[in-house]
Amino acid sequence: MLKELNERKNELKKLAEQYKEKRNELNTQASELASKRNELNKKTKDLINEAQEYKKLRDENNKLVQENKDKRDELNSEANKLYSKIEQIRSKNNIDGPSLKEIEKEIQRLEFTQQTEVLTPQKEKELVNKIQDLKKQYESKKEQLENNTEIQRLSEEAQKYRDEASQYHNALAEYAQKAQEYHNKMVETFKKADQVREEADETHKQFVEYQDAADEQHKKFIAVQKDIRDIEKEIRNVKKSEASSKKAEEETTDKDAETIFSQFKSGEKKLTTESLLTLQKSGFMKNK
């Protein structure tokens, strides 16, 4: 009985050790996955913070775009008011047709055509005549405008508004470009954050699987440990029972030996081989 119990106990100890080793191995893998997951979550957080910073810079530049746009439109509106007054004066004084700037621009265009294109003699003659007519028109209009100080004053004032508006427009374009660059960086960084977050979620899923597997091995280990304790308790009970039986047997043998010796001493009974064995077993003869 004791032999069988001890053999079963040793088998369970081996099994418990296997569960313990497997549990520890799974816990180690789960711990490694938890560390990786935490690193990925931190990276995700850092990327989101970086993207938010790009968003902040984009919004700041967009705000500057709007401010410069408002200022530009305000200045152009003032210039348009002045040009409207100029048109009224020109109409009143029969100074119609294109402006000096428009005439000058057309002259430059035609001169560029004359210099860069191959023309027939007839076409070139027509082009030269047209350029000369425009130059005369330019000088005539210039003289008209110079004689009209009101138009000249309003034109200069309107041009100042146009020049200042152009500066705001250039600034607007620069801020718009920066805003677009920050927007692109923001979108790209949020995309990276999503990718890292997906990897972190997958790692967490693996962590949970390994943790659950480790918990299962731990439950088996605890169950086997309980079985071992139950067997050890049974072994102790068996040993205790055997010890009690042995003690009872010894007490019986001692009593029998005392009776045999008493009967032998009084002459009531002779010693037989069996009687001698009983006396030897109890150790009665040594004591006597």
Side-chain angles (χ1 to χ4, degrees):
M1 181 68 173
L2 280 174
K3 182 181 178 182
E4 293 175 355
L5 288 171
N6 281 316
E7 286 177 353
R8 178 56 181 162
K9 176 184 173 182
N10 290 332
E11 289 175 0
L12 289 173
K13 280 187 172 181
K14 290 180 182 178
L15 186 59
E17 189 62 27
Q18 291 175 5
Y19 288 143
K20 180 181 176 182
E21 290 178 0
K22 187 63 178 178
R23 178 202 65 188
N24 292 343
E25 179 185 341
L26 289 166
N27 275 330
T28 298
Q29 291 173 309
S31 179
E32 290 173 356
L33 286 166
S35 297
K36 181 182 178 182
R37 176 204 60 196
N38 293 341
E39 288 176 3
L40 290 168
N41 281 334
K42 182 180 181 303
K43 186 177 180 180
T44 299
K45 184 178 179 181
D46 290 342
L47 286 168
I48 289 174
N49 289 337
E50 183 181 347
Q52 291 289 358
E53 188 62 28
Y54 287 138
K55 181 178 183 296
K56 180 181 177 183
L57 291 170
R58 181 203 64 182
D59 293 345
E60 288 175 356
N61 278 275
N62 277 333
K63 183 179 179 182
L64 290 170
V65 166
Q66 188 61 47
E67 289 176 357
N68 280 273
K69 181 178 181 297
D70 292 343
K71 195 64 179 177
R72 179 203 64 185
D73 293 346
E74 180 184 340
L75 290 165
N76 279 331
S77 176
E78 292 298 321
N80 289 336
K81 290 178 183 178
L82 293 174
Y83 283 124
S84 178
K85 289 182 180 180
I86 290 171
E87 287 301 319
Q88 292 175 4
I89 295 172
R90 290 173 64 183
S91 176
K92 184 178 179 181
N93 292 275
N94 295 320
I95 307 173
D96 54 359
S99 65
L100 288 176
K101 183 174 285 188
E102 291 173 337
I103 297 172
E104 185 179 17
K105 190 174 180 180
E106 180 65 12
I107 291 172
Q108 291 174 351
R109 187 185 71 80
L110 294 175
E111 286 179 341
F112 182 79
T113 300
Q114 183 185 21
Q115 294 169 5
T116 58
E117 293 183 12
V118 178
L119 303 171
T120 63
Q122 181 63 31
K123 288 287 184 180
E124 186 169 3
K125 183 178 179 180
E126 292 175 357
L127 190 62
V128 169
N129 290 336
K130 190 170 184 180
I131 292 173
Q132 289 176 347
D133 289 341
L134 286 171
K135 285 182 177 180
K136 289 178 182 179
Q137 184 180 350
Y138 180 87
E139 292 300 327
S140 175
K141 179 154 291 191
K142 183 180 179 183
E143 184 178 354
Q144 285 181 312
L145 293 173
E146 287 175 349
N147 291 331
N148 193 313
T149 56
E150 181 65 11
I151 290 179
Q152 187 176 3
R153 184 185 67 78
L154 292 173
S155 295
E156 290 174 356
E157 189 176 350
Q159 190 59 47
K160 286 181 181 179
Y161 281 125
R162 284 282 193 244
D163 292 342
E164 191 175 354
S166 179
Q167 293 176 6
Y168 282 106
H169 179 77
N170 292 337
L172 176 158
E174 290 179 7
Y175 288 127
Q177 183 178 355
K178 287 182 180 179
Q180 186 60 48
E181 289 173 359
Y182 286 127
H183 177 77
N184 293 341
K185 288 180 179 180
M186 179 198 73
V187 171
E188 183 62 27
T189 306
F190 271 129
K191 184 178 179 181
K192 287 180 182 178
D194 288 340
Q195 292 171 347
V196 176
R197 185 189 290 108
E198 287 179 6
E199 188 178 355
D201 290 344
E202 181 59 31
T203 303
H204 177 70
K205 182 180 177 182
Q206 293 174 4
F207 160 76
V208 171
E209 290 174 356
Y210 277 98
Q211 191 68 62
D212 289 345
D215 290 343
E216 187 63 29
Q217 293 296 315
H218 181 68
K219 289 177 183 177
K220 291 180 180 180
F221 170 76
I222 295 299
V224 172
Q225 288 287 83
K226 182 179 181 300
D227 290 343
I228 291 173
R229 288 194 297 272
D230 290 343
I231 289 176
E232 288 176 340
K233 183 178 179 181
E234 190 173 352
I235 289 173
R236 286 194 300 271
N237 290 335
V238 171
K239 285 182 177 180
K240 185 177 180 181
S241 177
E242 288 181 351
S244 296
S245 297
K246 185 177 180 181
K247 184 177 180 181
E249 184 180 348
E250 287 175 351
E251 288 176 353
T252 301
T253 301
D254 289 345
K255 187 176 181 181
D256 290 345
E258 188 176 350
T259 301
I260 291 169
F261 185 77
S262 178
Q263 289 176 348
F264 169 72
K265 190 175 179 181
S266 64
E268 295 179 17
K269 192 174 182 181
K270 293 181 178 181
L271 291 175
T272 63
T273 302
E274 185 179 352
S275 298
L276 287 171
L277 288 172
T278 299
L279 291 171
Q280 289 175 353
K281 187 176 181 181
S282 67
F284 189 82
M285 295 301 291
K286 290 182 180 180
N287 295 332
K288 295 300 179 181

